[in-house]
Amino acid sequence: MSSIQGQAAVITGGTRGIGRALSLAFLEAGASVHSTYQGNEDAAMKTRELAGAHAERLYLSRCDVCDPASVEAFWKGLEERGVNVQILVSNAGIRRDQLLALQKLEDWDAVLDTNLRGSFLMAKHAVPFMLRARYGRIVFVTSPAARHGFAGQASYGASKAGQMGLMRALAREVGRKKITVNCVAPGFIETELIGDLPEELKKEYLAMVPAARFGKPEEVAWAVRMLCDPAASYIHGTTLEVTGGL
Ligand code: NAI
């Protein structure tokens, strides 16, 4: 891969699970990394610790991706510090699984707000930076739940399908400006997001995976890092699945 050394990457939900692996992968590649987190200070501190010698290029900010004022303040801070953002990875996401007929409206809203509205808000602020630079890489972390449909995941699947629609439209809007926009859809990845699944359901999911194992956050981070490489300039408007064949 060519270099993203010296570039600035924004990663939402960048201090846990897949997001933490993303932060560390981009630091390793020489980028400065602006990772947002919602409120888990311990996870943020742990990420800083894991960054080791690269920690001086890691900037951690509290930012609620659902909240327009919080997102605006985050991007304003970057602007004021003269940070030119080349890379956005919209990774923050939640699940509130329930059968559709039983799903509470507030849970539906929380999932759509975090996964879809959060992606919209972050991209809305990132795009002007990239248009000015006439260069950019945007990746939305989605899920095969968008096409597959898992019982109990109507809200999650809808939010992830929404991110894909958003990605396709934005790809058409900015394609001429040397900005690429893509999705990465991880399969079952060993993070806290799926940690609360009942053991029986985990076994059922595992049986569906041709690779016969769950994935690791670092395997997703590799794919995202690849799409954010300058050399990935003709991979645009698509979804890369990292699922072990699911
Ligand atoms: P995780 O639960 O470990 O991390 C999610 C991150 O999102 C956390 O850092 C959390 O603080 C952040 N977040 C949640 N709400 C937020 C908000 N309102 N504002 C700012 N940050 C917020 O989960 P994981 O597994 O690392 O998930 C990352 C992404 O990957 C999500 O978008 C998820 O939907 C997606 N994904 C995960 C899969 C898995 O099997 N773990 C499978 C497919 C997709």
Side-chain angles (χ1 to χ4, degrees):
M1 280 191 252
S2 53
S3 184
I4 58 167
Q5 188 147 17
Q7 294 190 358
V10 168
I11 298 167
T12 67
T15 61
R16 230 177 73 171
I18 293 170
R20 176 184 285 165
L22 286 165
S23 295
L24 298 176
F26 281 92
L27 284 171
E28 186 67 35
S32 55
V33 174
H34 301 260
S35 291
T36 72
Y37 64 103
Q38 195 181 16
N40 186 337
E41 296 290 343
D42 289 346
M45 288 312 110
K46 183 72 190 165
T47 305
R48 179 172 295 290
E49 188 188 316
L50 290 170
H54 302 312
E56 61 187 18
R57 283 183 279 110
L58 175 63
Y59 303 89
L60 299 168
S61 306
R62 274 180 92 131
C63 174
D64 178 353
V65 296
C66 310
D67 175 9
S70 178
V71 174
E72 190 169 348
F74 169 72
W75 285 94
K76 205 167 169 220
L78 292 177
E79 183 118 45
E80 282 168 2
R81 284 168 11 236
V83 180
N84 293 315
V85 176
Q86 286 90 1
I87 296 165
L88 167 66
V89 186
S90 179
N91 164 78
I94 60 168
R95 288 175 28 232
R96 295 269 195 282
D97 293 354
Q98 183 52 278
L99 297 176
L100 183 144
L102 301 176
Q103 176 126 65
K104 291 183 189 142
L105 181 59
E106 69 223 49
D107 285 341
W108 171 274
D109 285 344
V111 173
L112 270 289
D113 281 356
T114 306
N115 301 359
L116 184 54
R117 178 180 155 114
S119 290
F120 159 70
L121 287 172
M122 291 303 286
K124 183 175 163 60
H125 285 274
V127 164
F129 278 75
M130 296 177 183
L131 286 174
R132 277 200 299 273
R134 292 191 159 255
Y135 178 87
R137 296 280 180 266
I138 299 177
V139 176
F140 299 101
V141 180
T142 61
S143 166
R147 65 163 171 77
H148 191 283
F150 292 100
Q153 291 201 337
S155 54
Y156 187 72
S159 71
K160 296 295 175 181
Q163 284 179 295
M164 288 186 194
L166 186 161
M167 176 277 287
R168 291 287 301 158
L170 182 57
R172 290 199 185 279
E173 292 179 15
V174 300
R176 287 167 185 266
K177 308 289 185 187
K178 298 193 173 148
I179 301 169
T180 66
V181 191
N182 293 289
C183 293
V184 165
F188 302 115
I189 308 298
E190 287 168 352
T191 70
E192 289 178 48
L193 189 81
I194 63 167
D196 65 341
L197 291 175
E199 282 308 313
E200 275 311 301
L201 191 56
K202 275 194 198 167
K203 274 190 201 151
E204 201 183 300
Y205 284 165
L206 190 56
M208 295 164 66
V209 184
R213 65 174 178 85
F214 291 152
K216 297 188 186 327
E218 293 73 22
E219 293 173 303
V220 180
W222 187 89
V224 175
R225 156 73 185 87
M226 182 274 290
L227 288 176
C228 292
D229 197 274
S233 45
Y234 207 54
I235 307 177
H236 183 49
T238 197
T239 297
L240 174 59
E241 298 211 347
V242 183
T243 63
L246 184 68

